[in-house]
Amino acid sequence: MRRRTIGALPVLDIAERAGHYECPAKALRSPVAERMRRLAIEVVVLDNGIVSVEKEEMAGDVNLVLLLEREQGLTRQGAIERMCAMVSDRTRRFVELRGTLPALADSVGLDSRDRAALMRYERDALETLMRGLRLGPARRALHPHVREEVLRRCVPGGVIVSGVVTTRKAPVAPGALPGLGHVPQLLRDPLRLFGSAHRDGAPVTRIMLGNRAAHLVTTPQLVRTVLSNVDGSFDKGGPVMNAIRGLLGNGLLTCTADDHARQRPMMQVAFARTHLDAYVPMMAQCAREMAESWTPGGTVALDAEMLRTAILVACRTLISAEPYGTSVTAMADAIPELVRGLFRRTVVPLPPVHRLPLPSNRRYQRAERTLAAAMEEIVKHYRSLEEPPDDLLSHIMAVSDPATGLGMTDGEIEDQVRTVLTAGTETTASLLAWTFHLLGGHPDVEDRLWKELDAVLGGRVPALSDLKDLPYTKRVLTEALRLYPPGWLLSRTTTRRVRLGGHELERGAEILFSPYFLHRDEDTFPEPDRFLPDRWLPQAVTSRQREAFVAMGGGRRKCIGDVFGMTEATIVLAVVASRWRLRPANATAVRPALRIVLNPSALPMTAEPR
């Protein structure tokens, strides 16, 4: 298959390519492999039925419909219909061919490494198909529905529409135990479990939470399908969101689609960019107070320092009315314990277990009570103020539903503030801690960052108007966010029966996806483990990379506080990096501490004046 047939798959030379991909020889001798070869021949025959190999070599990208008219004596409409039928037929054959690959792996008992090699072959074959079916401008004008038809049937990473796929359950990740599923692995080393599932190459893999299955989606294209939710087939839910909803209530982050349609316009007003002018000086002041508290040569627990600063920012921008700053601090102090408990509730979704009189459960329940009492007190106080302060809570309380003119109830406001407080502390603190950790090990990146900050700021505290002149600073943060997204594991649920990645999912099926692993896919991000801020240069970043970057979510449910959070992170990074060089205080490896938010295990760093 070295000739350039129209989208023909290079499957007939499977032995040569399988050698390249290190597929085992026993796989090539199996009955399933023989079936693959037969189907491959049928696909090639279909291709060559459209136009001969010799003519294609001469014609290149000529209009295939015109060739069909001339070679087969068809009318224009007849040629279009003939080509559509051929494309449909070859697509069906290809899908059947593609579906033999997992069976091939199962029939010969491939281990995970060989199975991954075979799945890489599958991915290449599908990409070859899609390249072959890209239509030139002239052909698009004649039959635009042809490519639409093929894209509807086949997308890189999976087949998702009815009529062309044999439905089957997604494979279960290795290591599930009877009755427990993957819970022990999730508690012990979740990165290893999810990393193995991503490397195995299956677009959807079942992770067993006890006897309940959650479907891990591993390809950027399918994750975008879930996040974009064009037809309403997916909604907030699943084990992660259900656990978070138990803490945060029905706020914008956790609410269902119907509630989100009402809440989002109201919250959008509260998060309008025009309010940032008032918030940025508070952010800068909090960062300056932290930077001025350090001593030359002293050791700082940077993860704790970033969290403390994020809490201060929340106090002064979210709820600034005195004397309730102390209540906000009490709430924010409770958040880390609640986040730790949330992950336990995600991987062990058994409410009776979390009601046992264990120390961890008691700490969680105490933190829940602290949060609820403080929120109720603060909202009541703000209701009583004749002149509310210019802060985020006041903006939230002032908004109303455009359709009804009604504002939020006290309970709804409390849910929104819980959500904003969590997003404004743990997540931003995580991003900043990881950024300084990465800079401490990459002096070349740090040096470029210093040069930009010195040139633009000259030692002064940044203002909102300065941020547009700090493009490298933004790329540093974006690359840190790629490597260590705070929301490392997210979930959704299906609202109806759907097909995803070649598998049928029932209504109410739980879906998981991991930005941490999507951002480290080597096919999307070359040298994925390297810290390379310039991969986000406008001329360097690709559409595929933008699609795979889901640190802030996507679609209608994209994080509403993304601008607020990135503005805060930029201000804090600029203030600290303008004054201090931070270096690891010891040789202990820094590892991710996996909870709901991806924090470093511990981050002691030595502060050296620049």
Side-chain angles (χ1 to χ4, degrees):
M1 288 305 300
R2 299 179 187 281
R3 55 199 176 186
R4 291 188 297 117
T5 53
I6 304 168
L9 304 176
V11 181
L12 290 182
D13 60 344
I14 186 171
E16 177 185 338
R17 289 179 59 81
H20 175 68
Y21 285 115
E22 301 178 348
C23 287
K26 62 182 178 179
L28 304 177
R29 294 193 297 268
S30 76
V32 182
E34 289 299 322
R35 181 168 173 237
M36 287 174 64
R37 293 188 183 93
R38 177 181 58 78
L39 287 165
I41 292 171
E42 293 176 0
V43 170
V44 173
V45 168
L46 284 167
D47 286 332
N48 290 339
I50 298 176
V51 65
S52 69
V53 174
E54 292 78 16
K55 284 183 179 177
E56 184 193 358
E57 290 288 5
M58 291 184 295
D61 195 36
V62 297
N63 190 308
L64 299 185
V65 171
L66 296 179
L67 283 173
L68 284 169
E69 288 180 20
R70 185 170 63 250
E71 297 296 319
Q72 299 188 15
L74 300 173
T75 64
R76 175 65 52 84
Q77 186 59 36
I80 291 174
E81 291 174 358
R82 175 62 177 154
M83 183 173 180
C84 287
M86 288 181 169
V87 168
S88 179
D89 194 16
R90 77 183 301 282
T91 302
R92 179 184 59 78
R93 303 285 184 115
F94 173 73
V95 169
E96 185 182 355
L97 167 65
R98 186 172 177 268
T100 64
L101 287 165
L104 173 62
D106 293 338
S107 69
V108 295
L110 300 188
D111 60 24
S112 60
R113 180 168 177 260
D114 289 334
R115 189 184 185 94
L118 199 61
M119 291 304 105
R120 285 198 298 274
Y121 180 88
E122 175 192 35
R123 182 181 58 212
D124 276 7
L126 183 54
E127 288 178 353
T128 300
L129 171 72
M130 298 311 296
R131 282 196 301 271
L133 291 172
R134 290 194 181 115
L135 305 177
R139 280 178 274 162
R140 275 202 302 271
L142 285 170
H143 45 91
H145 57 290
V146 175
R147 177 165 168 75
E148 185 177 309
E149 158 91 359
V150 176
L151 287 174
R152 185 178 67 83
R153 292 172 179 264
C154 294
V155 296
V159 180
I160 52 176
V161 297
S162 60
V164 294
V165 179
T166 301
T167 61
R168 52 187 169 83
K169 288 185 176 181
V172 176
L177 300 176
L180 295 175
H182 296 101
V183 169
Q185 293 183 59
L186 286 167
L187 292 172
R188 184 174 60 250
D189 192 355
L191 280 186
R192 183 175 182 181
L193 173 65
F194 288 117
S196 174
H198 274 260
R199 288 190 297 273
D200 279 351
V204 182
T205 300
R206 281 184 292 163
I207 304 294
M208 303 306 298
L209 306 176
N211 292 320
R212 198 175 83 219
H215 298 78
L216 178 67
V217 180
T218 64
T219 71
Q221 295 86 358
L222 290 184
V223 169
R224 279 293 174 187
T225 297
V226 173
L227 289 176
S228 60
N229 193 25
V230 174
D231 61 355
S233 295
F234 308 97
D235 201 354
K236 282 289 182 84
V240 178
M241 278 300 149
N242 290 341
I244 296 175
R245 188 177 289 128
L247 168 64
L248 301 183
N250 198 44
L252 194 66
L253 175 66
T254 56
C255 67
T256 60
D258 289 342
D259 287 337
H260 184 268
R262 185 181 71 88
Q263 292 182 20
R264 179 86 186 200
M266 291 192 285
M267 291 296 290
Q268 198 74 56
V269 174
F271 275 91
R273 296 189 183 215
T274 53
H275 298 319
L276 283 175
D277 279 323
Y279 301 151
V280 165
M282 303 177 197
M283 297 172 180
Q285 178 62 27
C286 293
R288 190 172 67 181
E289 289 174 10
M290 174 181 64
E292 290 175 349
S293 71
W294 297 346
T295 57
T299 299
V300 295
L302 200 71
D303 51 335
E305 288 287 291
M306 293 300 113
L307 181 57
R308 183 177 67 84
T309 300
I311 290 170
L312 284 176
V313 171
C315 289
R316 296 177 185 177
T317 62
L318 176 60
I319 306 170
S320 60
E322 294 296 338
Y324 292 92
T326 54
S327 296
V328 178
T329 303
M331 285 194 302
D333 286 344
I335 291 294
E337 180 58 44
L338 292 168
V339 170
R340 284 190 291 271
L342 280 177
F343 187 65
R344 292 192 295 269
R345 282 157 173 75
T346 298
V347 300
V348 186
L350 302 171
V353 172
H354 305 300
R355 289 194 291 266
L356 295 173
L358 302 174
S360 60
N361 289 341
R362 287 172 175 165
R363 289 193 301 270
Y364 186 88
Q365 292 158 5
R366 188 162 52 247
E368 274 189 314
R369 290 193 296 271
T370 298
L371 185 67
M375 278 309 317
E376 183 179 358
E377 182 181 14
I378 289 169
V379 171
K380 284 182 179 178
H381 174 68
Y382 266 64
R383 289 288 192 199
S384 69
L385 294 176
E386 292 183 4
E387 295 185 8
D390 184 16
D391 60 19
L392 195 53
L393 177 55
S394 295
H395 294 310
I396 292 173
M397 296 181 71
V399 298
S400 59
D401 186 343
T404 65
L406 299 176
M408 294 187 185
T409 66
D410 286 359
E412 290 173 329
I413 292 169
E414 290 174 17
D415 288 348
Q416 302 299 352
V417 175
R418 285 191 187 97
T419 299
V420 174
L421 183 64
T422 303
T425 56
E426 284 276 343
T427 52
T428 306
S430 168
L431 170 58
L432 285 164
W434 284 117
T435 300
F436 283 110
H437 165 66
L438 290 164
L439 289 172
H442 297 82
D444 55 329
V445 175
E446 188 177 52
D447 184 62
R448 284 187 62 187
L449 175 67
W450 288 343
K451 288 178 179 177
E452 179 176 88
L453 295 175
D454 292 346
V456 175
L457 302 177
R460 63 180 172 82
V461 173
L464 182 62
S465 58
D466 292 316
L467 301 191
K468 67 181 184 303
D469 299 320
L470 300 174
Y472 191 70
T473 306
K474 181 180 179 181
R475 294 201 297 274
V476 166
L477 287 166
T478 303
E479 180 68 347
L481 199 57
R482 180 188 70 83
L483 286 168
Y484 297 103
W488 72 278
L489 183 65
L490 303 173
S491 68
R492 293 291 189 272
T493 189
T494 58
T495 61
R496 58 172 68 99
R497 192 176 186 180
V498 298
R499 284 177 178 164
L500 190 69
H503 308 290
E504 188 165 291
L505 278 61
E506 297 295 331
R507 182 176 183 270
E510 295 176 336
I511 295 172
L512 297 172
F513 59 95
S514 175
Y516 180 87
F517 287 104
L518 291 168
H519 293 177
R520 291 171 182 259
D521 175 50
E522 63 182 358
D523 290 335
T524 305
F525 296 99
E527 300 181 279
D529 295 327
R530 289 190 62 192
F531 180 49
L532 300 172
D534 278 347
R535 74 169 80 238
W536 298 103
L537 282 166
Q539 66 270 27
V541 66
T542 67
S543 58
R544 184 173 180 178
Q545 290 169 343
R546 290 192 183 94
E547 180 183 57
F549 185 75
V550 292
M552 298 292 186
R556 290 188 291 268
R557 304 304 294 261
K558 185 180 180 182
C559 175
I560 196 171
D562 58 346
V563 175
F564 183 101
M566 286 300 287
T567 299
E568 178 185 346
T570 305
I571 295 293
V572 175
L573 175 59
V575 169
V576 173
S578 293
R579 301 183 179 208
W580 295 100
R581 171 192 291 112
L582 295 169
R583 291 291 178 266
N586 55 50
T588 303
V590 176
R591 294 186 174 87
L594 292 170
R595 299 189 286 270
I596 292 294
V597 174
L598 187 72
N599 287 312
S601 51
L603 197 57
M605 301 194 81
T606 301
E608 303 171 357
R610 283 191 51 199

